[in-house]
Protein backbone atom coordinates (compact mmCIF):
# COMPACT_ATOMS: atom_id res chain seq x y z
CA UNK A 1 0.00 0.00 0.00
CA UNK A 2 1.39 3.40 -1.00
CA UNK A 3 1.68 6.27 1.43
CA UNK A 4 -1.34 8.57 1.44
CA UNK A 5 -0.67 12.29 1.42
CA UNK A 6 -3.33 14.48 2.99
CA UNK A 7 -4.56 18.03 2.44
CA UNK A 8 -5.98 19.78 5.50
CA UNK A 9 -9.23 21.60 6.05
CA UNK A 10 -8.46 25.23 6.87
CA UNK A 11 -10.28 27.46 9.36
CA UNK A 12 -10.44 31.26 9.26
CA UNK A 13 -11.47 31.92 12.86
CA UNK A 14 -11.25 35.60 13.76
CA UNK A 15 -8.28 35.20 16.14
CA UNK A 16 -6.00 33.57 13.54
CA UNK A 17 -2.94 34.81 11.69
CA UNK A 18 -1.25 33.66 8.46
CA UNK A 19 1.97 31.95 9.59
CA UNK A 20 0.80 28.45 8.70
CA UNK A 21 0.62 29.51 5.04
CA UNK A 22 3.65 31.81 5.02
CA UNK A 23 6.09 29.68 7.02
CA UNK A 24 4.75 26.11 7.04
CA UNK A 25 3.52 25.64 3.48
CA UNK A 26 -0.20 25.16 4.09
CA UNK A 27 -1.97 25.91 0.81
CA UNK A 28 -4.48 28.64 1.54
CA UNK A 29 -5.56 31.81 -0.27
CA UNK A 30 -7.49 33.60 2.46
CA UNK A 31 -6.25 36.41 4.70
CA UNK A 32 -6.72 34.59 8.02
CA UNK A 33 -5.62 31.00 8.63
CA UNK A 34 -6.29 30.09 12.25
CA UNK A 35 -6.18 26.29 12.05
CA UNK A 36 -5.17 23.55 9.62
CA UNK A 37 -6.80 20.19 10.42
CA UNK A 38 -4.06 17.95 9.09
CA UNK A 39 -5.33 14.50 10.11
CA UNK A 40 -9.08 14.47 10.48
CA UNK A 41 -12.12 12.34 9.81
CA UNK A 42 -14.43 14.86 11.46
CA UNK A 43 -17.27 16.17 9.30
CA UNK A 44 -16.55 19.75 10.45
CA UNK A 45 -13.09 19.67 8.86
CA UNK A 46 -12.01 16.49 7.05
CA UNK A 47 -8.60 15.76 5.58
CA UNK A 48 -8.54 15.07 1.84
CA UNK A 49 -6.48 12.51 -0.04
CA UNK A 50 -3.92 14.38 -2.16
CA UNK A 51 -2.43 11.59 -4.27
CA UNK A 52 -3.20 8.32 -6.02
CA UNK A 53 -6.47 6.86 -7.25
CA UNK A 54 -8.43 8.21 -4.26
CA UNK A 55 -7.28 11.82 -4.66
CA UNK A 56 -10.02 14.27 -3.75
CA UNK A 57 -11.84 11.95 -1.39
CA UNK A 58 -11.93 12.60 2.32
CA UNK A 59 -9.93 10.38 4.64
CA UNK A 60 -13.22 9.03 6.03
CA UNK A 61 -14.44 8.18 2.52
CA UNK A 62 -11.21 6.29 1.91
CA UNK A 63 -11.65 4.32 5.15
CA UNK A 64 -15.27 3.55 4.22
CA UNK A 65 -14.17 2.21 0.83
CA UNK A 66 -11.16 0.22 2.00
CA UNK A 67 -12.56 -0.92 5.34
CA UNK A 68 -11.41 -0.18 8.90
CA UNK A 69 -8.74 -2.86 8.52
CA UNK A 70 -6.49 -0.21 6.91
CA UNK A 71 -6.25 1.44 10.34
CA UNK A 72 -4.71 -1.60 12.03
CA UNK A 73 -5.80 -3.69 14.98
CA UNK A 74 -5.88 -1.00 17.67
CA UNK A 75 -8.69 0.97 15.99
CA UNK A 76 -11.15 -1.92 15.95
CA UNK A 77 -12.66 -0.94 19.31
CA UNK A 78 -13.49 2.62 18.22
CA UNK A 79 -16.80 3.61 16.68
CA UNK A 80 -15.11 6.52 14.85
CA UNK A 81 -11.54 7.34 13.88
CA UNK A 82 -10.19 8.36 17.29
CA UNK A 83 -7.60 11.10 16.66
CA UNK A 84 -7.61 14.59 15.17
CA UNK A 85 -4.41 16.58 14.72
CA UNK A 86 -4.17 20.23 13.78
CA UNK A 87 -1.89 23.26 13.69
CA UNK A 88 -3.11 26.43 15.44
CA UNK A 89 -1.84 29.97 14.81
CA UNK A 90 -3.16 32.25 17.56
CA UNK A 91 -2.43 35.81 16.47
CA UNK A 92 -4.98 36.89 19.07
CA UNK A 93 -6.08 35.08 22.22
CA UNK A 94 -8.62 32.30 21.88
CA UNK A 95 -11.76 32.26 23.98
CA UNK A 96 -11.69 30.80 27.48
CA UNK A 97 -13.29 27.40 27.04
CA UNK A 98 -13.75 23.86 28.27
CA UNK A 99 -14.42 20.51 26.62
CA UNK A 100 -16.67 17.75 27.98
CA UNK A 101 -15.85 14.12 28.75
CA UNK A 102 -16.82 11.23 26.50
CA UNK A 103 -19.78 10.36 28.68
CA UNK A 104 -21.24 13.88 28.68
CA UNK A 105 -20.51 14.59 25.00
CA UNK A 106 -21.89 11.30 23.70
CA UNK A 107 -25.09 11.86 25.65
CA UNK A 108 -25.55 15.55 24.83
CA UNK A 109 -23.66 16.16 21.56
CA UNK A 110 -23.61 12.81 19.74
CA UNK A 111 -19.82 12.74 19.46
CA UNK A 112 -16.75 12.10 21.59
CA UNK A 113 -15.60 14.45 24.30
CA UNK A 114 -12.25 16.12 23.99
CA UNK A 115 -8.98 15.53 25.77
CA UNK A 116 -6.06 17.14 23.98
CA UNK A 117 -2.35 17.87 24.13
CA UNK A 118 -0.48 20.96 22.97
CA UNK A 119 3.07 21.12 21.68
CA UNK A 120 4.25 24.75 21.48
CA UNK A 121 5.93 25.17 18.10
CA UNK A 122 6.72 28.84 18.68
CA UNK A 123 5.77 31.63 21.04
CA UNK A 124 6.34 35.37 21.15
CA UNK A 125 8.33 36.72 24.11
CA UNK A 126 6.01 37.01 27.09
CA UNK A 127 3.35 34.76 25.57
CA UNK A 128 1.16 32.80 27.96
CA UNK A 129 -1.95 30.67 28.07
CA UNK A 130 -4.61 29.86 30.64
CA UNK A 131 -4.56 26.36 32.12
CA UNK A 132 -6.95 25.55 34.96
CA UNK A 133 -7.66 27.58 38.10
CA UNK A 134 -5.28 29.18 40.60
CA UNK A 135 -7.32 27.84 43.53
CA UNK A 136 -10.46 25.77 43.93
CA UNK A 137 -13.67 27.73 43.43
CA UNK A 138 -17.32 26.86 43.92
CA UNK A 139 -19.80 26.40 41.10
CA UNK A 140 -21.60 29.52 42.34
CA UNK A 141 -18.44 31.65 42.21
CA UNK A 142 -17.63 30.26 38.76
CA UNK A 143 -21.05 31.30 37.47
CA UNK A 144 -20.83 34.73 39.15
CA UNK A 145 -17.39 35.48 37.70
CA UNK A 146 -18.60 34.56 34.21
CA UNK A 147 -21.55 36.91 34.63
CA UNK A 148 -19.39 39.74 36.01
CA UNK A 149 -16.48 39.31 33.54
CA UNK A 150 -13.98 38.64 36.33
CA UNK A 151 -13.16 35.04 35.39
CA UNK A 152 -9.62 35.82 34.24
CA UNK A 153 -8.71 36.84 37.79
CA UNK A 154 -8.92 33.23 39.03
CA UNK A 155 -7.41 31.44 36.03
CA UNK A 156 -3.89 30.02 36.09
CA UNK A 157 -1.75 31.95 33.57
CA UNK A 158 1.20 29.89 32.31
CA UNK A 159 4.11 31.50 30.41
CA UNK A 160 5.18 29.30 27.49
CA UNK A 161 8.06 29.00 25.08
CA UNK A 162 8.97 26.84 22.11
CA UNK A 163 9.11 23.16 23.03
CA UNK A 164 6.66 23.26 25.95
CA UNK A 165 4.01 20.54 26.17
CA UNK A 166 0.69 20.74 28.02
CA UNK A 167 -1.86 17.97 28.53
CA UNK A 168 -5.45 19.21 28.75
CA UNK A 169 -7.89 16.64 30.07
CA UNK A 170 -11.58 17.10 29.38
CA UNK A 171 -13.11 19.35 32.00
CA UNK A 172 -10.03 21.61 32.20
CA UNK A 173 -10.72 25.29 31.57
CA UNK A 174 -8.12 26.76 29.19
CA UNK A 175 -7.29 29.31 26.52
CA UNK A 176 -4.40 29.71 24.09
CA UNK A 177 -2.94 33.20 24.34
CA UNK A 178 -1.88 35.60 21.60
CA UNK A 179 1.39 35.01 19.77
CA UNK A 180 1.48 31.22 20.13
CA UNK A 181 1.82 28.57 17.42
CA UNK A 182 0.69 25.11 18.50
CA UNK A 183 0.48 21.55 17.24
CA UNK A 184 -2.60 20.01 18.84
CA UNK A 185 -3.27 16.29 19.23
CA UNK A 186 -6.83 15.63 20.33
CA UNK A 187 -9.76 13.30 20.33
CA UNK A 188 -11.92 13.27 17.21
CA UNK A 189 -14.31 15.92 18.48
CA UNK A 190 -15.34 19.49 17.82
CA UNK A 191 -17.26 20.18 21.02
CA UNK A 192 -16.22 23.40 22.73
CA UNK A 193 -18.04 25.32 25.45
CA UNK A 194 -17.02 29.00 25.52
CA UNK A 195 -17.35 30.89 28.79
CA UNK A 196 -15.48 34.13 28.01
CA UNK A 197 -14.56 35.75 24.69
CA UNK A 198 -13.28 39.28 25.46
CA UNK A 199 -16.52 40.80 24.13
CA UNK A 200 -15.55 40.06 20.52
CA UNK A 201 -18.01 39.89 17.65
CA UNK A 202 -18.08 37.41 14.77
CA UNK A 203 -18.56 37.90 11.04
CA UNK A 204 -22.25 38.59 11.65
CA UNK A 205 -21.35 41.59 13.85
CA UNK A 206 -22.83 39.79 16.88
CA UNK A 207 -21.06 38.56 19.98
CA UNK A 208 -20.14 34.91 19.68
CA UNK A 209 -22.28 32.47 21.62
CA UNK A 210 -21.29 31.39 25.11
CA UNK A 211 -22.23 27.98 26.50
CA UNK A 212 -22.39 28.74 30.20
CA UNK A 213 -24.82 26.10 31.48
CA UNK A 214 -22.96 23.26 29.78
CA UNK A 215 -19.60 24.64 30.92
CA UNK A 216 -20.84 24.80 34.52
CA UNK A 217 -21.84 21.14 34.24
CA UNK A 218 -18.50 19.81 32.97
CA UNK A 219 -15.71 22.07 34.34
CA UNK A 220 -13.33 20.78 37.01
CA UNK A 221 -13.04 23.76 39.36
CA UNK A 222 -9.80 22.78 41.07
CA UNK A 223 -6.13 23.54 40.30
CA UNK A 224 -4.26 21.10 38.08
CA UNK A 225 -1.94 18.75 39.93
CA UNK A 226 1.10 17.60 37.99
CA UNK A 227 1.22 13.81 37.76
CA UNK A 228 4.44 12.05 36.78
CA UNK A 229 2.98 8.53 36.97
CA UNK A 230 2.83 8.30 33.16
CA UNK A 231 6.64 8.47 32.82
CA UNK A 232 8.33 8.00 30.33
CA UNK A 233 5.37 9.40 28.40
CA UNK A 234 4.30 12.99 28.83
CA UNK A 235 0.81 11.73 29.66
CA UNK A 236 -1.34 8.62 29.57
CA UNK A 237 -5.09 8.88 29.30
CA UNK A 238 -8.16 6.70 29.03
CA UNK A 239 -10.19 9.32 27.19
CA UNK A 240 -10.27 7.50 23.87
CA UNK A 241 -13.15 5.11 24.11
CA UNK A 242 -16.29 3.61 22.69
CA UNK A 243 -19.92 4.60 23.19
CA UNK A 244 -19.99 3.06 26.65
CA UNK A 245 -17.41 5.49 28.02
CA UNK A 246 -13.80 4.93 28.98
CA UNK A 247 -11.89 2.09 27.46
CA UNK A 248 -8.29 1.60 26.41
CA UNK A 249 -5.48 4.09 26.82
CA UNK A 250 -3.62 6.58 24.68
CA UNK A 251 0.03 7.29 25.40
CA UNK A 252 0.99 10.72 24.20
CA UNK A 253 4.61 11.26 23.21
Amino acid sequence: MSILKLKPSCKDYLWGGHRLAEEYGVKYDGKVLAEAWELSCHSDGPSYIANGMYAGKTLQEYIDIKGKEVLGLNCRRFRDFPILTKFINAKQSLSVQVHPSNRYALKNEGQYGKTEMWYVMDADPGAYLYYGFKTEISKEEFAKRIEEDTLLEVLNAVPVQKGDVLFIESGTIHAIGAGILIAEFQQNSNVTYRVYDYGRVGKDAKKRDLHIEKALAVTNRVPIIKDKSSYPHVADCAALGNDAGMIGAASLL
Side-chain angles (χ1 to χ4, degrees):
M1 183 175 67
S2 61
I3 294 175
L4 294 179
K5 296 182 179 180
L6 300 177
K7 294 190 296 184
S9 282
C10 296
K11 304 294 183 179
D12 63 347
Y13 304 138
L14 55 84
W15 42 261
H18 208 258
R19 293 185 62 186
L20 296 177
E22 295 172 353
E23 301 176 33
Y24 292 86
V26 176
K27 303 297 183 183
Y28 184 72
D29 295 328
K31 294 182 179 180
V32 175
L33 176 53
E35 296 183 356
W37 294 22
E38 297 286 341
L39 175 63
S40 171
C41 284
H42 201 286
S43 58
D44 289 346
S47 301
Y48 294 87
I49 308 298
N51 64 313
M53 63 182 296
Y54 298 101
K57 294 188 177 299
T58 67
L59 178 57
Q60 185 61 58
E61 288 173 334
Y62 171 80
I63 294 170
D64 292 341
I65 293 169
K66 300 292 288 184
K68 292 184 69 174
E69 292 78 12
V70 298
L71 301 178
L73 299 178
N74 287 335
C75 276
R76 286 181 176 178
R77 66 184 185 271
F78 299 119
R79 182 192 71 180
D80 301 319
F81 188 77
I83 298 295
L84 193 161
T85 66
K86 62 176 68 166
F87 294 127
I88 301 174
N89 177 200
K91 185 176 181 179
Q92 302 175 35
S93 296
L94 276 67
S95 62
V96 178
Q97 56 191 242
V98 65
H99 308 299
S101 66
N102 282 349
R103 192 177 303 278
Y104 187 94
L106 286 167
K107 179 181 179 180
N108 294 278
E109 309 291 350
Q111 59 180 301
Y112 290 130
K114 187 175 175 183
T115 286
E116 59 193 353
M117 187 181 73
W118 295 336
Y119 173 78
V120 179
M121 300 166 61
D122 200 9
D124 291 347
Y128 64 93
L129 47 80
Y130 290 115
Y131 182 52
F133 291 94
K134 294 178 182 177
T135 59
E136 183 174 358
I137 66 171
S138 67
K139 190 173 183 179
E140 292 73 22
E141 181 182 355
F142 186 27
K144 184 178 181 181
R145 285 188 175 276
I146 293 173
E147 181 181 359
E148 296 178 349
D149 285 343
T150 61
L151 182 61
L152 299 185
E153 296 176 6
V154 295
L155 297 184
N156 180 37
V158 180
V160 293
Q161 59 186 352
K162 182 177 181 179
D164 285 345
V165 175
L166 291 95
F167 179 62
I168 303 94
E169 292 188 86
S170 61
T172 302
I173 196 164
H174 61 276
I176 300 172
I180 302 176
L181 193 69
I182 277 178
E184 179 174 293
F185 308 88
Q186 61 161 87
Q187 287 181 267
N188 183 6
S189 173
N190 196 29
V191 180
T192 296
Y193 300 148
R194 285 192 295 265
V195 296
Y196 180 76
D197 196 35
Y198 308 94
R200 292 183 294 202
V201 298
K203 296 178 181 178
D204 58 0
K206 298 179 180 179
K207 288 186 177 181
R208 298 201 297 172
D209 290 338
L210 301 180
H211 314 94
I212 296 172
E213 291 304 317
K214 289 182 176 180
L216 290 173
V218 304
T219 301
N220 297 324
R221 292 169 280 98
V222 296
I224 297 167
I225 299 175
K226 293 183 178 180
D227 183 1
K228 298 182 179 180
S229 63
S230 58
Y231 181 83
H233 302 127
V234 172
D236 287 334
C237 72
L240 301 176
N242 63 9
D243 294 1
M246 307 303 184
I247 185 171
S251 296
L252 303 177
L253 287 189

